[in-house]
C-alpha cells in the first residue's frame, strides 16, 4: 500500500509525516534522521544565530541526500540573514515554515526560488490569510499541540480549514501514531506533523534529565496551556518553575521578562536599538506592551530546561501526547511503526462494506479525496472565516 499524498509529492518525502521545528530541539541530527527515515524535517532557525544555522544546514546536507525545511520568524534579529541563507540553499531547502510570517514580497522570493511556504496556524482566519499571502501548504495545529497553541481542538479546526482553503493541509496537535495518520487522511488532510513524538526519540538533543520528565508524565491534564510565560497560551508540562511563575503575579513576571530579554539580547547579538525597534513593531502589530516585554521569556526559559538540562528551572513545552508516550525509540522506528499501523488501519477501512466504510481511503490520498469533494460542492456552501 502506498501512503503517497500531495504532501509527499510536493516535499519529495516518502511518507506524509513532518517533524516540526521545535526551538533548541530540531537540530541537524534530528532533521537528518527524519529525512533519512522517509519523513520531512524542519530545522529550528528561530533560536539560532546566522552562523549556527549555516553550520546546521551544512550538517544536514552532509548527513542526508533528502530535502529538508527551515523554520524562522520575522521578529528574530537575524531574520533577513536567515532568509538569504535559505535562498542560498534553495537546492536542498524545500520548504520554510513560520508563524507570524513574512510579507507577500518575501513569500514571492521564496516561491520564485522553488521554496515552498508552509506556515503553521491555530485558527481558521489565520489559515485563510496565510493562503491569501501565498502559502503553498498549511499546517493546522489544534489545541492539543505543544508550545504556543490555540483553543480549538484538532478534530474541529482541521475540517474547518479543509473546507476553507484550496491548498494541501497538514494536521498537527495530538498525533503520535499510525492511527492518527490514518484518521488525518480520512479527514482529508495530506499528512500529519508532530513535535513531541520527535522530541521523545533517541536522536533528540534534549538532556536525559529533562527527557525523563516527559517520559514520567502520564496525566494529560498536567500538560496544560498557560499564559504566564509570555502572555500567550503555551502548552507545557506542570513543573515547579511554571507554578511559581503563575503564583508570582505581574511584578514577578515582568522581572523574569526583563532578565530573559537581556539574556536573549546577549545570545542573539541584538543591539539595544534593535530591541527598541522590535518592541515598537510588536506594539504596532497589536501586541500589548507587557506581552511584548515577555516575548523573550519562552526561548530563554525553554533553553534552561531543554538545553542546559535543568527541568525545574525552566519550562517544558509539550503536546498532550507526551502523556501516552513512555519510550524513546530511534526516529526510524517511530516512522516505520506509524507507517505500518496507518496502512493496517486504512486497509481495514477499505475492507468494510458500505455504508460503514469506503474503499477510497485505502489509497492514502486524503488530499485528493478532499479536493474532489470540494470541487463537487457549490461554492457558497463553504464556511467563511
Amino acid at each position: 500500500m502506498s501512503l503517497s499524498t500531495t504532501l509527499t509529492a510536493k516535499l519529495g518525502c516518502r511518507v506524509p509525516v513532518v517533524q516540526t521545528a521545535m526551538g533548541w530541539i530540531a537540530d541537524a541530527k534530528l532533521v537528518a534522521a527524519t529525512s533519512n527515515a522517509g519523513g520531512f524535517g524542519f530545522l529550528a532557525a528561530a533560536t539560532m544565530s546566522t552562523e549556527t544555522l549555516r553550520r546546521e544546514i551544512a550538517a544536514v546536507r552532509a548527513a542526508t541526500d533528502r530535502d529538508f525545511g527551515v523554520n524562522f520568524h520575522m521578529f528574530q534579529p537575524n531574520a533577513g540573514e536567515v532568509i538569504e541563507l535559505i535562498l542560498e540553499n534553495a537546492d536542498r531547502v524545500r520548504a520554510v515554515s513560520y508563524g507570524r510570517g513574512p510579507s507577500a514580497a518575501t513569500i514571492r522570493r521564496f516561491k520564485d526560488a522553488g521554496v515552498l511556504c508552509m506556515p503553521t496556524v491555530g485558527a481558521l482566519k489565520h489559515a485563510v490569510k496565510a493562503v491569501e499571502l501565498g502559502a503553498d501548504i498549511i499546517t493546522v495545529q489544534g489545541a492539543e499541540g505543544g508550545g504556543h497553541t490555540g483553543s480549538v481542538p484538532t478534530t474541529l479546526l482541521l475540517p474547518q480549514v479543509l473546507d476553507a482553503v484550496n491548498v494541501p493541509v497538514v494536521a498537527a496537535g495530538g498525533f503520535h501514531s499510525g492511527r492518527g495518520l490514518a484518521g488525518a487522511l480520512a479527514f482529508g488532510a495530506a499528512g500529519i506533523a508532530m513535535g513531541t513524538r520527535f522530541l521523545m526519540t533517541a536522536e533528540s538533543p534534549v538532556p536525559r534529565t529533562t527527557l525523563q520528565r516527559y517520559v514520567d508524565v502520564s496525566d494529560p491534564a498536567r500538560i496544560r496551556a498557560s499564559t504566564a510565560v509570555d502572555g500567550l497560551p503555551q502548552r507545557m508540562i506542570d513543573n515547579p518553575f511554571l507554578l511559581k511563575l503563575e503564583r508570582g503575579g505581574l511584578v514577578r513576571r515582568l522581572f523574569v521578562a526583563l532578565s530573559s530579554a537581556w539574556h536573549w539580547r546577549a545570545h542573539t547579538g541584538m543591539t539595544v536599538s534593535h530591541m527598541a525597534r522590535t518592541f515598537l513593531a510588536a506594539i504596532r502589530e497589536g501586541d500589548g506592551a507587557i506581552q511584548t516585554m515577555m516575548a523573550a521569556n519562552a526561548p530563554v526559559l525553554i533553553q534552561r530546561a531543554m538545553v542546559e538540562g535543568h527541568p525545574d528551572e525552566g519550562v517544558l513545552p509539550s503536546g498532550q501526547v507526551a502523556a501516552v508516550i513512555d519510550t524513546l525509540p530511534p526516529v526510524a522506528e517511530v516512522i516505520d511503526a506509524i507507517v505500518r499501523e496507518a496502512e493496517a488501519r486504512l486497509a481495514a477501512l477499505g475492507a468494510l462494506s458500505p455504508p460503514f466504510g469506503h474503499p477510497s481511503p485505502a489509497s492514502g490520498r486524503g488530499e485528493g479525496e478532499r479536493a474532489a469533494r470540494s470541487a463537487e460542492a457549490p461554492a457558497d456552501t463553504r464556511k467563511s472565516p
Side-chain angles (χ1 to χ4, degrees):
M1 179 181 295
S2 171
L3 287 178
S4 298
T5 70
T6 53
L7 183 70
T8 58
K10 285 180 174 292
L11 295 181
C13 49
R14 181 172 56 82
V15 296
V17 175
V18 174
Q19 165 249 302
T20 61
M22 300 160 282
W24 305 114
I25 299 163
D27 62 1
K29 182 179 180 181
L30 186 60
V31 170
T34 301
S35 296
N36 284 331
F40 189 87
F42 277 96
L43 276 174
T47 52
M48 295 180 187
S49 68
T50 305
E51 286 309 308
T52 298
L53 177 59
R54 191 184 304 277
R55 291 194 300 270
E56 291 291 291
I57 288 177
V60 177
R61 295 182 68 118
T64 180
D65 60 358
R66 312 297 298 184
D67 290 344
F68 58 97
V70 175
N71 168 271
F72 71 101
H73 66 75
M74 290 305 295
F75 276 109
Q76 63 188 95
N78 62 337
E81 296 173 349
V82 168
I83 290 169
E84 297 306 320
L85 191 52
I86 291 169
L87 293 172
E88 290 174 17
N89 288 273
D91 61 316
R92 292 289 306 282
V93 177
R94 183 63 179 142
V96 290
S97 65
Y98 46 84
R100 177 176 290 164
S103 65
T106 301
I107 289 174
R108 173 49 55 190
R109 289 188 67 197
F110 284 132
K111 294 167 76 75
D112 288 345
V115 177
L116 297 169
C117 293
M118 191 174 165
T120 298
V121 301
L124 174 59
K125 64 180 180 180
H126 296 153
V128 173
K129 181 63 175 179
V131 173
E132 289 175 355
L133 289 173
D136 301 288
I137 304 167
I138 296 289
T139 299
V140 175
Q141 177 174 303
E144 305 94 321
H148 291 107
T149 192
S151 59
V152 182
T154 304
T155 52
L156 299 181
L157 182 61
L158 179 59
Q160 283 184 314
V161 175
L162 284 166
D163 286 343
V165 303
N166 59 357
V167 300
V169 175
V170 178
F175 294 97
H176 66 103
S177 67
R179 286 182 175 181
L181 175 55
L185 295 177
F187 264 100
I192 59 172
M194 306 184 300
T196 303
R197 175 64 277 190
F198 282 107
L199 183 157
M200 298 177 70
T201 59
E203 289 87 351
S204 172
V206 178
R208 185 61 195 234
T209 52
T210 299
L211 276 178
Q212 193 60 46
R213 298 303 178 88
Y214 285 80
V215 173
D216 291 343
V217 66
S218 59
D219 182 1
R222 287 193 55 221
I223 310 173
R224 57 187 178 84
S226 173
T227 60
V229 173
D230 59 7
L232 295 172
Q234 188 170 2
R235 189 172 294 285
M236 298 165 283
I237 298 174
D238 270 341
N239 73 340
F241 184 87
L242 176 61
L243 297 174
K244 185 176 180 179
L245 197 61
E246 290 178 326
R247 290 193 300 263
L250 181 60
V251 173
R252 176 172 176 78
R253 293 181 196 178
L254 288 178
F255 177 80
V256 173
L258 290 171
S259 176
S260 294
W262 194 254
H263 181 93
W264 188 237
R265 183 202 67 81
H267 171 81
T268 60
M270 182 187 291
T271 64
V272 174
S273 63
H274 188 101
M275 287 179 67
R277 290 195 301 273
T278 300
F279 178 86
L280 293 174
I283 295 295
R284 287 195 296 269
E285 288 284 332
D287 289 349
I290 293 175
Q291 180 181 315
T292 303
M293 291 177 66
M294 295 170 69
N297 272 354
V300 172
L301 298 180
I302 292 171
Q303 181 186 31
R304 185 68 173 152
M306 311 303 279
V307 177
E308 299 172 12
H310 301 288
D312 290 337
E313 299 175 18
V315 296
L316 305 168
S318 176
Q320 288 185 296
V321 296
V324 297
I325 300 172
D326 57 8
T327 59
L328 303 172
V331 166
E333 288 186 15
V334 170
I335 291 180
D336 181 63
I338 287 174
V339 168
R340 286 188 286 106
E341 186 178 36
E343 290 176 340
R345 289 294 86 212
L346 293 170
L349 287 174
L352 294 175
S353 300
F356 302 104
H358 192 285
S360 59
S363 68
R365 298 182 181 273
E367 174 64 16
E369 182 185 43
R370 182 189 68 79
R373 184 177 67 251
S374 298
E376 294 169 359
D380 59 3
T381 64
R382 300 187 186 183
K383 290 185 179 180
S384 59

